[in-house]
Amino acid sequence: MLNFIKKKIALIWARKHVKQTESFKQNAVEDQEKLLISLVKTAEKTLFGREHQFEAIKNVQDFQNQVKIADYEDLKPYIEKVKKGQRSILWTETPEYFAKTSGTTSGSKYIPISKEGMPYQLAAAQSAIFHYISQKDNSDFVAGKMIFLQGSPELEEINGIKTGRLSGIVAHHIPNYLQKNRLPSLKTNLIEDWETKVDEIVKETEKENMTLISGIPPWLIMYFEKLIERNGKKITELFPNLQLIITGGVNFEPYREKMNELLGKPVDTIQTFPASEGFFAFQDDYQNEGLLLLTNHGIFYEFVPLEEYGKPEAKRLTLKDIELHKDYALILTTNSGLWAYSIGDVVRFISKKPYRIVVSGRTKHFTSAFGEHVIAFEVEEAMKATVEKFPAQITEFHLAPQVNPQEGLPYHEWFIEFEKEPADLESFRKNLDDEMRKRNTYYDDLISGNILQPLIITKLKKNAFQDYARSEGKLGGQNKIPRLANDRKIGDFLSGSKFYARNTMSHL
């Protein structure tokens, strides 16, 4: 009876919530401009506000004139002051939390989360679930067990500011009505070593009525593989009431076929776009592509055309200026004190009514050793199209340039960990190259002009990417391996892990 009531209440709440979201979907442009001025007005007396003459800012153009695009290194001096206990630096109040992230150039980053910002992180996740319940007209999963593969909830303190991984911070805010259904146990969640932790999660969950599972795709796959190895059953056989998978952190599409294989049959999936800096978007229609941009969640967005990113006079566009199917570097101003902050993600709009995006790459993750500027979205779409034509199961892949081969022309080297190889690997390789040429005209020109030879595939042994992550101390949690790079650091490690000699067919 209790479960029936819980499901009924969830359905009522979901329908009501979805109706309430129609306003922000229709008024995004106006809401965004009002939000920016509100954020500036609130922070006028902060150190950052005084230094950037916030009192003189009356509109978006004023803001762009006064506040230049910043990365973590630019804001680090202010964050260091906050860490030392100084007040009213970036935001009016001391942050409630620091979300600690791993940086490649800055060491650990400490991203402030204010008392105003934290509720939006939680509301966005809740909204994603409510949209699903309303669209599906089914809330059965709320009566079962739910698991969130996440970092340790153990937090340290820096001058009274609680500090830890975002997923660990969020764990302290799970509503009471979900706590009894939530796994794993606190004891297991506190385990730092990721492989040990997943082993314990498997033991805790394998006999439970799991109905919702959430996590970043590579680590969901690791969890599923361990369950199957231990029980000899596909996931939907083990968890027959599993209704929903929630993913975030990376594009789910390259993992979909592998995931379906482990599941045994498709399970509804919601993709989300959370980060330490904010929760930006989620899939409001689980059956169709695109993530709904959250324009009323305390974040003002700007968009820099990717080809201009990093240039002194790069255009800074707002929602009213964007074009569909064009790549933009994402710039944020938040109610936690980040001002014109470049998060490093690249997005592409696929609709304006409402504003929906796909995450198309990272500003620092690209391959352009020869001027081609290949981005993640292009390689993922090329791989997706090729797998559809030449069926295969891909665990993970990475692209790196080979600028100085021992013989022949330079090329793009694709390191691929196959779960199941295509029947004809050479046809697979040729098609993959053709798909890349369709999506990137610069790459096509380089091939046509005999500057590059067509791509080469290097097949990797099982768990090669996990080995790399482990070597970098980035196994588990929200850590992600870049799809592509402009150097050979990852590629050279993977070359030492390969199972077969690379497919060296060249076409000079």
Side-chain angles (χ1 to χ4, degrees), residues 2 57 76 80 97 102 118 124 167 182 195 199 226 229 315 317 319 346 371 386 405 432 444 455 489 498:
L2 182 61
I57 294 175
K76 189 174 181 179
E80 289 301 314
Y97 297 100
S102 299
M118 193 65 217
S167 59
R182 179 170 166 261
E195 290 180 285
D199 286 338
K226 286 179 177 289
E229 181 180 355
K315 291 193 290 287
L317 309 179
L319 278 181
V346 178
T386 301
L432 185 59
D444 184 48
L455 67 85
K489 179 185 175 184
K498 62 190 178 186

Side-chain angles (χ1 to χ4, degrees), residues 306-341:
L306 187 57
E307 67 273 14
E308 298 184 25
Y309 180 75
K311 297 178 181 178
E313 301 305 318
K315 291 193 290 287
R316 293 165 64 177
L317 309 179
T318 58
L319 278 181
K320 64 181 174 60
D321 307 309
I322 60 95
E323 299 176 31
L324 298 182
H325 311 299
K326 185 176 175 64
D327 293 304
Y328 297 102
L330 183 61
I331 311 299
L332 311 171
T333 291
T334 78
N335 61 359
S336 290
L338 298 178
W339 301 98
Y341 183 81

Side-chain angles (χ1 to χ4, degrees), residues 4 28 40 132 151 173 201 230 238 242 262 286 308 332 336 366 416 426 453 478 500:
F4 174 79
V40 168
Y132 172 78
H173 293 267
I201 291 173
R230 184 175 167 91
L238 198 61
L242 179 61
L262 297 173
Y286 75 97
E308 298 184 25
L332 311 171
S336 290
F366 59 87
I416 304 177
E426 174 58 10
Q453 62 172 301
Q478 294 300 305
Y500 299 104

Side-chain angles (χ1 to χ4, degrees), residues 364-395:
K364 295 181 180 180
H365 294 168
F366 59 87
T367 299
S368 195
F370 312 96
E372 64 277 37
H373 210 93
V374 172
I375 64 172
F377 190 77
E378 292 167 341
V379 301
E380 289 171 349
E381 288 294 294
M383 180 64 81
K384 179 181 176 182
T386 301
V387 168
E388 287 175 355
K389 190 171 181 179
F390 297 93
Q393 289 178 16
I394 310 294
T395 299

